[in-house]
C-alpha cells in the first residue's frame, strides 16, 4: 500500500500562508523573468488560465478580473516544502520525496483505518504550516497517484467523483465495481506516465479512459508500445511494479541555465553570469558526491526577437575530474572567451557539467608531469557550510560580481514577495 501526499496549487498556497488577503482571489505565480504562469489558484483556473500561459497574454485579467500575479520565490517554496514533507512522513514508515510538493509514503504494516490516518495528517499539515493538500491511497504507486487526482478533483469540481472521495481517497477499500466506475470516469491522460503523445496513440486505438487502459493485456501493451506502459497497466490492475525510491539516483549531467532579465552584450556581464552558473552547478556536484570531467558552456540570442541570431557552445575537458568551484569556473570562463562575439544581444547562457563520476573513484595516471594544484576539498566544504548557514551567495567567486540583483543579467522578478522564512530581514513581525 502506498499514499501520495500532494500540496494543492503549492506555490500559490505558500504565498497565501503569509498573505491571507489573497484567499478567494485569482492568483498565478510566474516563472523566471516573469514569463509565464507556473502555478494557478483554483480561481485562476476558473478564469481559463492554462498552465504555462504567457504573462503578456493574461495580463489584461489583472484589470478585468482582479488577477494577482507574483514572481516565483523558490527559496520560500523550498523551505515550506521541507516543512510539509517532514509532516507527511508521519503517515508511514518510509517516504520518497517525488517533487517539491509531492511525496509517496509506504503504508506497509500501518495499522488502523488508513482513511482516518490520512485525514489526520492532512489536517496537521494545514494547521501547522497552512498548506492545503490531498492524500491518495492505493495498492500501487500508480493507483495512489490516481487516487490523489480523484481527491483533488472531487474537492475542486463537485459532482465529478463521489463527494466522499474529496481531500482523502483510498481506492483500496472500494468494491471492484466501484473502482471500475472511478476508472471509467477518469480520462486516460490523467494516468501517471501517460503523456500527450501517448494519449493520442491510445485514443487512435479506442483507449480513452483509465478503465480502458487497465483492461488491456499487459503482454500486448509491451509488444505494441513499451515495457514502461506495460508496468503502468499492471499497476492499474493492482500489481506493484514501481518500488519506492528511498535514495535519489546520482545525476549523469548537471546543468545551470538561465534566461537574462535584459539582453546582454558585454563580455564582463556574461562572465559574471557564467561564473554564477558554474558555481551553482559545482555546488550541486558536491552535494551528490560527484566529480566532473568536462565543462560545457553555451550562449545564445533570443529566437523570438527580430535581430541578428547567434548560438554557440563549447565543451572543455578538465585535466582531472574535479568538484572544485575555482577550477570549474576557470574552465567555464576560458570556454566563454572562446565563443563570445561582440555585437549580439544575448538572451540566455548556461553551464553543464559532463562525464560525472563518484568522488570515491580516482583514476590513477603515470607521474609524467608535475601537478601542483592543492586539494581544496576542505575549502569547498567550508564554503558550502557558510552558504548553507547564512544564505546562498554569502561566499562566492569574485568574478560573479557584487551588484546582486542590480546586475544587468539578473532575473526579472518585479513581483517577488519577501523571503518570510529564509531571510532574517524579511521575517514577519507580529504585534500584540
Amino acid at each position: 500500500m502506498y499514499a501520495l501526499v500532494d500540496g494543492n496549487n503549492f506555490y500559490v498556497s505558500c504565498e497565501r500562508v503569509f498573505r491571507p488577503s489573497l484567499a478567494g482571489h485569482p492568483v498565478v505565480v510566474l516563472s523566471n523573468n516573469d514569463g509565464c504562469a507556473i502555478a494557478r489558484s483554483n480561481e485562476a483556473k476558473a478564469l481559463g488560465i492554462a498552465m504555462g500561459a504567457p504573462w503578456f497574454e493574461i495580463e489584461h485579467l489583472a484589470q478585468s478580473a482582479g488577477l494577482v500575479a507574483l514572481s516565483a520565490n523558490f527559496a520560500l517554496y523550498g523551505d515550506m516544502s521541507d516543512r510539509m514533507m517532514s509532516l507527511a512522513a508521519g503517515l508511514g514508515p518510509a517516504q520518497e520525496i517525488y517533487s517539491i510538493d509531492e511525496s509517496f509514503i509506504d503504508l506497509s504494516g500501518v495499522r488502523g483505518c488508513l482513511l482516518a490516518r490520512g485525514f489526520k495528517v492532512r489536517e496537521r499539515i494545514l494547521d501547522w504550516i497552512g498548506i492545503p493538500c490531498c492524500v491518495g491511497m492505493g495498492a500501487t504507486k500508480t493507483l495512489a497517484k490516481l487516487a490523489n487526482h480523484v481527491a483533488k478533483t472531487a474537492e475542486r469540481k463537485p459532482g465529478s467523483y463521489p463527494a466522499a472521495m474529496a481531500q482523502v481517497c483510498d481506492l483500496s477499500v472500494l468494491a471492484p465495481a466501484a473502482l471500475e466506475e472511478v476508472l471509467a470516469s477518469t480520462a486516460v491522460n490523467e494516468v501517471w506516465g501517460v503523456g500527450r503523445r501517448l494519449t493520442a496513440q491510445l485514443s487512435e486505438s479506442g483507449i480513452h479512459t483509465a478503465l480502458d487502459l487497465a483492461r488491456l493485456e499487459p503482454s500486448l501493451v509491451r509488444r505494441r508500445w513499451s515495457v514502461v506502459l506495460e508496468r503502468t497497466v499492471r499497476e492499474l490492475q493492482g500489481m506493484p511494479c514501481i518500488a519506492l525510491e528511498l535514495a535519489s539516483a546520482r545525476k549523469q549531467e548537471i546543468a545551470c541555465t538561465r534566461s537574462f532579465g535584459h539582453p546582454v552584450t558585454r563580455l564582463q556581464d556574461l562572465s559574471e553570469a557564467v561564473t554564477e552558473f558554474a558555481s551553482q552547478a559545482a555546488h550541486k556536484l558536491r552535494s551528490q558526491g560527484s566529480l566532473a570531467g568536462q565543462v560545457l558552456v553555451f550562449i545564445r540570442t533570443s529566437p523570438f526577437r527580430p535581430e541578428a541570431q547567434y548560438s554557440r557552445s563549447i565543451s572543455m575537458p578538465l585535466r582531472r575530474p574535479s568538484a572544485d568551484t575555482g577550477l570549474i569556473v576557470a574552465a567555464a570562463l576560458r570556454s566563454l572567451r572562446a565563443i563570445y562575439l561582440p555585437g549580439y544581444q544575448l538572451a540566455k547562457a548556461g553551464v553543464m557539467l559532463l562525464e560525472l563520476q563518484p568522488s570515491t573513484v580516482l583514476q590513477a595516471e603515470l607521474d609524467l608531469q608535475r601537478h601542483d594544484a592543492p586539494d581544496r576539498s576542505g575549502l569547498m566544504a567550508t564554503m558550502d557550510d557558510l552558504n548553507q548557514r547564512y544564505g546562498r551567495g554569502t561566499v562566492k567567486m569574485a568574478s560573479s560580481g557584487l551588484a546582486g540583483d542590480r546586475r544587468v543579467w539578473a532575473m526579472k522578478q518585479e513581483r517577488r514577495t519577501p523571503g518570510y522564512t529564509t531571510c532574517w530581514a524579511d521575517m514577519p513581525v507580529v504585534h500584540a
Side-chain angles (χ1 to χ4, degrees), residues 236-260:
L236 285 174
Q237 295 172 350
M239 178 184 297
C241 299
I242 307 173
L244 214 63
E245 296 183 9
L246 302 180
S248 300
R250 280 193 174 98
K251 296 180 180 179
Q252 301 303 308
E253 297 178 354
I254 292 177
C256 185
T257 68
R258 292 288 186 277
S259 295
F260 302 138

Side-chain angles (χ1 to χ4, degrees), residues 272-339:
E272 291 182 358
V274 167
T275 297
E276 183 75 16
F277 301 157
S279 299
Q280 292 182 22
H283 171 67
K284 295 178 182 178
L285 184 69
R286 292 191 293 273
S287 297
Q288 72 169 28
S290 296
L291 305 175
Q294 285 198 42
V295 179
L296 182 145
V297 175
F298 74 86
I299 55 176
R300 68 170 175 81
T301 54
S302 172
F304 306 107
R305 291 176 181 156
E307 57 194 26
Q309 296 295 307
Y310 183 76
S311 178
R312 291 292 185 276
S313 66
I314 188 171
S315 179
M316 179 173 291
L318 299 175
R319 180 178 173 186
R320 292 180 177 85
S322 176
D324 188 307
T325 296
L327 296 177
I328 291 173
V329 167
L333 292 179
R334 285 197 298 271
S335 300
L336 174 64
R337 288 191 289 270
I339 61 175

Side-chain angles (χ1 to χ4, degrees), residues 379-400:
L379 176 62
M380 294 297 106
T382 300
M383 183 173 69
D384 292 342
D385 290 343
L386 290 172
N387 288 330
Q388 174 67 27
R389 181 172 181 178
Y390 297 106
R392 191 172 73 182
T394 300
V395 180
K396 58 185 178 181
M397 303 297 291
S399 55
S400 65

Side-chain angles (χ1 to χ4, degrees), residues 45-90:
K45 294 175 183 177
L47 292 176
I49 298 175
M51 179 67 79
W55 169 238
F56 73 87
E57 291 184 0
I58 61 176
E59 187 175 4
H60 67 279
L61 294 174
Q63 294 294 331
S64 61
L67 176 66
V68 178
L70 302 172
S71 301
N73 190 340
F74 292 117
L76 172 66
Y77 309 150
D79 183 70
M80 295 296 287
S81 173
D82 290 342
R83 297 166 190 253
M84 189 182 95
M85 297 308 170
S86 66
L87 296 174

